[in-house]
Every structure is written in structure tokens, then in C-alpha cells.
Amino acid sequence: MTVSGTSVKLTFLGGAGTVTGSKTLVEINGKRLLIDCGLFQGIKELRLLNWNDFPVNPASIDAIVLTHAHLDHCGYIPLLVKKGFKGPIHCTHPTLDLTEIILKDSAKIQEEDAERANKNNYSRHEHAEPLYTVKDVLNCLPHFVGHNLNEWIIINEYFKFEFLNSGHILGGAFVNAKAAGKTIVFSGDIGRSNPMLLYPPKHIKEADYLVLESTYGDRLHQSENVKKELKEIIHRTIKRGGILMIPSFAVERTQEILYLIYQLREEEQLPKCKVFLDSPMGINATNTYKRYPDWQQISNYELDQMFNEVYFINDIEQSKLLVADKQPKIVLAGSGMIEGGRILHYLNSHIDNPNDTLLMVGYQGEGTRGRAILNGSPEIKFFGEYRKVNCEVQHIDSLSAHADYSEMIEWLKGFRNKPKKVILNHGEAHQTDAFRAKIEHELKLEVFIPKMMESILLE
């Protein structure tokens, strides 16, 4: 690799001023690649961006580098391929497996939502269409190339990189890139300093430029005993004959909750009740976790035992029976922000029952049903109708897979040679600006916050 001194242009096509739609276009001397290719979620103004023409010709992009499998980082890929992208998509091996699961589920939900809207005539359009289909997902899968951590991948004469563990979700990785003689680190999402299942984020010693997420740039995770709080919520709900409904992110959060429930059972702290995972995507993701024990710091024995007494519900008819059943139980179902999936059917049937509990276990994005419920909205719209929120609502925030600002500051202190500039993305405006102030005050680093579609030249 030569060409040192050539400028590198970064353009933020998503994940700027928002926590969704992460896409960073890297341009070097006419060559283009994309770091992440996420779907916009949340408020309608953002979701509509998914339907716009892509800002550059997809066929002109040489490669995609994917930091992890969450939909806000990978969910636009089927559409980009459909629009003409022809290059490879580089990611870690677990990310490859999880992305296939997540994209198929995303397409299936879109197809079902469009079908339901057309059947019940509550679409504003004459005929609702999915953004992409399962067939589109199948067409994009041959583009994926899996890699190991610490393996150098050469894209072209200007750009090579390696994946380093980010501790966020299984397969999640930082992109440590050498680009035209400069070292640029793209964080994707950075995990907790002491994850429950995974190994903690890799400390990186040097970078000229750092593109860093800021999802929790304005807050600290509470230091409560998560297992104790979960135990109390379970006991309280089951004692009054209720159902504990957990809208759970299929990757990482589902496995963490099941691990905590396993620990409570082993300690004989769990009340008598059945535990159901009613999420085909969650089940597939859980099976993926079993295939990659080397990525996790828990023992192989625990990884093998923690799912033994969990009922996996794949069949839709079984799911319907479970939704109708009013017996006390614990149910984990997607999606985590209540934007789709089987959790909608549980809430549609049980959200008005004060004996039942809705437990949020992760970040709730702006404009999502989850955020609205946490903010105290008395009514929530499901399937074209409004339902009253009468069930108990709880939130365990410290289960988040994102580092808070203190953990990110400590991670930044690990750099032996400080970055010339920290570029903050993937955060709502108030979160990003609060994090900027903390970085500038505590670490005396130069910080840049890009707007959507804004470019920055790295000399």
C-alpha cells in the first residue's frame, strides 16, 4: 500500500443526528466503499428516507464493510444490491450468520405488514409494498464474505483494514483501517466495559481519526443489580397471576435475559412459571450463539445449559395459542422497540390488563412505540387501532449493549497516540453534543459532529 498523503473523504449518508441508518461513504481518489449500510427506523421522517434514491450510484461502490448485524447497520443492504451494488460485503463470521437471520426477518415483517395493510385498508397508499422482499435478501447473500478478527483485508491500493472485537453483540467489530497512509477507526457500536456474555471491547492504541458512536453520550447506565431487579419484576408479576412480556432484541439482549433467568433458576430464585422465546429470529440467533463459544466469556457448560428449560416457539399457530393463553408466564418476543414482530400480538391482547407487565430491556429509539410507552403515552396504536396502556411498564436500562459516556471516555483513554480528530455519529443531537462537551473537557480532543449528508476531508 502506497499513496500516502492522498486525502480521504467521508460522507455521512445516515447515522448523523440519529441512531439509525448508519452509512459512512469513504472516497479515496475515485474509489468508494461504504462502512455499514443501515436502515432508517423510528419517526416517519426518517423511515421515508429509506424510499429515496441512494445519494450515489450503488454500482460505483467497490465494497461494503459491516461492523455488526443490527438492522440500523445492515438493513439497507438488500435494497442497495437491488439498486445495482455488485461488490463484496466484508464482515466477521458471526456477523454474516446473524445478518442473514435479521435481514430475512426484516423482509418477512415488511411483507406481512404490507399484506395486512392492504387487507384491512389502513395504508395511505393505494397498494402498500414492502421496502424489500425475502427474495431480495436471498439475492444479496452471495455478496457476503466472512473474516476472522485481526485478519487484514485489502480492498484496493488505498484501503485495507482489520476487524477488532467491539464487545457490542456477537460478531460486532471495530474497523481498524489504513487508508491512504492514515489510520482511521470506525467504531460501529461500542459495547459495555464488562459485557455479560461477550469479551469486552478491544483497546486500540493509535488512530489518526476516530469515527465514534454516541448513542448514550448523555447518560450513565444505572449500577443496579440487574438480576435482582429482574427477579423482583418476575415475582411481582407471577404473584398477581400476570404475564411478563419482554419485547427483546433477538441478538444479545434475548440471550442475556435468558442467561439471567437461567442463573435465577440455578439459584432457586425463580418462581414456578414457564419461559417462552416466541421469536423465530431470536431462536435462530440463539442457535448462532451456540456455534461461536470462542466469542463468549461464559463457560461452554453454561452456554449449553442456559436454554434447556426455555420453550422455543417457531410455529405461528403455537404462537397464536400462547397469545390467547392467560396463564402466568414469561414471554420474550421481538421486536425490541415494539416496531414489529410477535410482541405486537401479545400487547394487542394484554396491554390493557393491569396484572400483566411490559418490561423494556434496551434502548428505545425516537419515534418508536417503545419510546412512546416509556414516555407515558396513555394509548398506543397497533394494527390500525389505539389501545390503552393499563399494564405495568418497567425498564431495565443498564442491560443496554451500548457503552455509556463514562465507559466510552475510559475506552478513549486507552489510546497511546491520541486521534487528531474524533468524529461523532450515531446519536440523537442532544446525546452527541453532550458527549462532545465531555470529550473536549476531559480529553482535550478535537471533536467534529457531522450533519446528515455532510462530508469531511481527512488530509
Side-chain angles (χ1 to χ4, degrees), residues 214-447:
S214 54
T215 307
Y216 278 110
D218 66 340
R219 66 183 98 170
L220 292 170
H221 294 309
Q222 297 178 21
S223 58
E224 77 267 13
N225 184 322
V226 174
K227 186 165 65 176
K228 180 174 180 288
E229 187 171 355
L230 178 62
K231 182 185 79 170
E232 290 172 353
I233 293 170
I234 292 172
H235 276 269
R236 187 165 65 245
T237 304
I238 301 303
K239 184 177 180 180
R240 63 179 181 240
I243 300 167
L244 176 58
M245 301 172 288
I246 306 177
S248 192
F249 301 90
V251 180
E252 198 68 23
R253 204 59 36 75
T254 288
Q255 293 75 33
E256 287 180 340
I257 292 291
L258 292 178
Y259 181 64
L260 291 171
I261 290 173
Y262 157 75
Q263 288 186 317
L264 290 171
R265 183 184 293 114
E266 289 291 292
E267 297 164 6
E268 299 183 349
Q269 297 292 313
L270 194 70
K272 188 175 180 181
C273 66
K274 291 182 177 179
V275 180
F276 297 90
L277 176 55
D278 188 1
S279 166
M281 181 168 67
I283 293 168
N284 289 334
T286 296
N287 290 330
T288 302
Y289 270 70
K290 293 179 182 179
R291 291 200 297 273
Y292 292 98
D294 291 348
W295 278 76
Q296 298 165 79
Q297 58 181 341
I298 63 172
S299 70
N300 287 348
Y301 174 80
E302 288 178 303
L303 187 60
D304 182 58
Q305 293 293 311
M306 61 188 275
F307 308 115
N308 271 358
E309 295 187 43
V310 179
Y311 294 87
F312 286 3
I313 306 298
N314 255 314
D315 183 72
I316 188 64
E317 295 305 319
Q318 284 182 307
S319 179
K320 289 178 180 178
L321 290 173
L322 198 60
V323 168
D325 176 37
K326 298 186 183 299
Q327 292 297 311
K329 55 183 168 289
I330 301 170
V331 179
L332 289 81
S335 66
M337 297 185 194
I338 319 181
E339 286 299 278
R342 293 183 179 181
I343 193 65
L344 294 180
H345 298 279
Y346 286 93
L347 293 180
N348 196 43
S349 295
H350 303 290
I351 198 169
D352 57 355
N353 187 342
N355 290 329
D356 297 336
T357 301
L358 173 64
L359 173 60
M360 313 284 200
V361 290
Y363 184 83
Q364 303 298 315
E366 182 184 6
T368 63
R369 290 188 184 94
R371 174 73 75 90
I373 291 171
L374 279 185
N375 287 345
S377 293
E379 292 183 325
I380 298 294
K381 192 176 184 181
F382 299 106
F383 308 135
E385 296 183 3
Y386 282 91
R387 302 298 305 275
K388 290 187 179 299
V389 182
N390 289 329
C391 66
E392 179 183 349
V393 176
Q394 291 290 334
H395 186 213
I396 300 181
D397 183 49
S398 57
L399 271 171
S400 173
H402 287 268
D404 62 22
Y405 74 74
S406 176
E407 291 170 311
M408 288 191 285
I409 290 288
E410 286 303 310
W411 182 77
L412 283 167
K413 289 178 180 177
F415 280 88
R416 181 174 57 237
N417 297 324
K418 291 183 177 182
K420 297 177 185 176
K421 187 171 293 189
V422 176
I423 302 163
L424 293 182
N425 71 341
H426 202 276
E428 294 171 11
H430 60 286
Q431 298 160 344
T432 305
D433 194 57
F435 193 33
R436 172 201 57 77
K438 293 182 187 303
I439 293 172
E440 290 177 343
H441 175 72
E442 294 191 34
L443 303 177
K444 313 301 182 195
L445 292 172
E446 182 182 344
V447 180

Side-chain angles (χ1 to χ4, degrees), residues 179-221:
K182 305 162 189 62
T183 301
I184 309 171
V185 173
F186 300 87
S187 76
D189 289 346
I190 181 169
R192 306 294 304 277
S193 58
N194 186 26
M196 190 180 303
L197 303 177
L198 305 177
Y199 290 101
K202 172 84 172 178
H203 279 281
I204 300 174
K205 296 302 181 185
E206 60 182 3
D208 296 312
Y209 299 94
L210 170 63
V211 180
L212 179 62
E213 67 121 325
S214 54
T215 307
Y216 278 110
D218 66 340
R219 66 183 98 170
L220 292 170
H221 294 309

